[in-house]
C-alpha cells in the first residue's frame, strides 16, 4: 500500500500536537494552509487522508474533527481506521479488459452479470493481468500457489481449466484467459 500520508489542512494546533508524536506514528504528516498547497500535495500522493476541523465539500479522503477535545489515542485510532477504509476501497476493484474484478467481494463483473471467484482465482487473474507476456506454470506455482519448482503437480492447469470454464459459462467468453505454448495470458 505504501506510505500513509496525513495532510493536516488549516488546523495548526493539531499539526503541532501530532508533530511531537511523529516518531510513534505509522503515517507521515504534513501541514497545508491553502487550497493550492493542498491540491499540490494530493496530486503527488497516492495514499492520503486530509484532516481538518471543518467540512470542505470538494475534498476527497477527508476526516473532519468536529468534537474536540479528543483523547489523542482515540484520535490516532480514528485516523488509522480511516486509512484502513481508504485502503479497502482503493484496492477493492480493478479493471481488466471489459471486466471489473472486485478483490474484496471476490467477484468478476461485467454489466449486471457477476461471477463469484475463489481467492486463488482472483490472485491468478490479477497476477496474469500484470504480465504482458504469457506466464508459465512454474511461475504461477511459485507466485500464486507458493509451491516449489521441483514439485510435480497439475494444480495450476486444473485451476485455470476450471476458471476458464466458469468464465465461459457465465460470460460466454472463451478468450479471457488464453493458453499459449509457454504459459497462460489474459487476452
Amino acid at each position: 500500500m505504501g506510505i500513509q500520508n496525513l495532510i493536516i489542512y488549516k488546523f495548526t494546533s493539531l499539526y503541532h500536537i501530532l508533530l511531537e508524536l511523529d516518531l510513534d506514528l505509522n503515517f507521515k504528516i504534513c501541514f497545508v494552509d491553502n487550497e493550492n498547497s493542498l491540491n499540490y500535495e494530493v496530486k503527488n500522493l497516492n495514499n492520503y487522508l486530509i484532516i481538518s476541523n471543518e467540512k470542505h465539500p470538494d475534498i476527497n479522503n477527508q476526516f473532519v474533527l468536529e468534537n474536540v477535545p479528543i483523547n489523542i489515542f482515540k484520535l490516532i485510532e480514528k485516523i488509522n481506521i480511516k486509512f484502513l477504509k481508504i485502503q479497502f476501497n482503493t484496492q477493492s476493484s480493478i479493471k481488466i479488459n471489459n471486466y471489473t474484478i472486485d478483490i474484496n467481494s471476490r467477484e468478476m463483473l461485467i454489466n449486471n452479470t457477476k461471477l463469484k471467484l475463489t481467492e486463488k482465482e482472483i490472485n491468478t487473474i490479477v497476477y496474469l493481468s500484470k504480465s504482458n507476456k504469457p506466464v508459465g506454470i512454474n511461475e504461477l506455482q511459485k507466485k500464486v500457489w507458493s509451491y516449489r519448482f521441483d514439485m510435480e503437480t497439475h494444480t495450476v492447469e486444473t485451476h485455470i481449466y476450471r476458471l476458464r470454464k466458469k468464465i465461459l459459462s457465465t460470460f460466454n467468453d472463451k478468450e479471457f484467459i488464453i493458453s499459449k505454448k509457454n504459459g497462460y495470458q489474459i487476452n
Side-chain angles (χ1 to χ4, degrees):
M1 179 80 189
I3 296 171
Q4 297 174 320
N5 297 279
L6 181 68
I7 301 170
I8 301 170
Y9 184 51
K10 295 183 179 181
F11 201 167
T12 311
S13 58
L14 179 63
Y15 174 70
H16 291 293
I17 291 167
L18 291 177
L19 193 61
E20 289 182 28
L21 302 170
D22 190 37
L23 293 176
D24 297 319
L25 301 175
N26 61 347
F27 44 83
K28 182 181 165 220
I29 61 171
C30 72
F31 176 78
V32 294
D33 60 1
N34 63 64
E35 199 170 328
N36 288 338
S37 297
L38 180 65
N39 291 333
Y40 177 79
E41 287 293 332
V42 168
K43 182 179 75 174
N44 294 311
L45 298 173
N46 292 328
N47 187 12
Y48 66 89
L49 173 65
I50 299 165
I51 189 168
S52 65
N53 57 355
E54 60 185 62
K55 179 91 171 127
H56 300 280
D58 53 336
I59 295 177
N60 295 329
N61 293 354
Q62 183 178 178
F63 174 43
V64 179
L65 188 58
E66 296 170 311
N67 300 327
V68 287
I70 185 171
N71 179 299
I72 192 69
F73 299 110
K74 193 73 163 164
L75 173 62
I76 293 171
E77 179 184 15
K78 286 182 178 232
I79 290 169
N80 284 324
I81 289 170
K82 289 284 188 183
F83 273 123
L84 285 172
K85 286 180 180 178
I86 291 168
Q87 178 183 1
F88 183 84
N89 292 331
T90 302
Q91 74 181 21
S92 180
S93 66
I94 56 174
K95 286 290 276 179
I96 301 175
N97 298 339
N98 296 329
Y99 298 96
T100 300
I101 308 297
D102 189 324
I103 295 170
N104 296 328
S105 66
R106 293 192 202 137
E107 292 177 330
M108 184 173 180
L109 309 105
I110 190 168
N111 300 326
N112 291 329
T113 307
K114 291 182 184 180
L115 173 62
K116 272 304 236 183
L117 299 170
T118 66
E119 185 176 357
K120 287 291 188 215
E121 289 169 337
I122 288 285
N123 293 345
T124 301
I125 290 171
V126 170
Y127 191 82
L128 289 174
S129 74
K130 291 180 179 178
S131 178
N132 54 5
K133 62 180 181 32
V135 178
I137 292 167
N138 288 339
E139 184 177 342
L140 285 170
Q141 283 176 331
K142 181 180 179 195
K143 301 293 184 178
V144 178
W145 278 272
S146 302
Y147 287 163
R148 295 188 329 262
F149 283 114
D150 59 343
M151 192 177 271
E152 192 62 43
T153 181
H154 293 284
T155 303
V156 173
E157 294 98 326
T158 303
H159 276 276
I160 290 183
Y161 170 78
R162 288 181 184 153
L163 177 57
R164 291 171 76 188
K165 194 172 171 182
K166 283 170 77 171
I167 292 169
L168 178 63
S169 172
T170 304
F171 302 114
N172 198 28
D173 186 349
K174 60 183 175 187
E175 299 294 318
F176 182 71
I177 298 175
I178 55 173
S179 178
K180 300 225 172 174
K181 70 176 184 172
N182 50 347
Y184 296 98
Q185 185 172 16
I186 300 280
N187 194 15

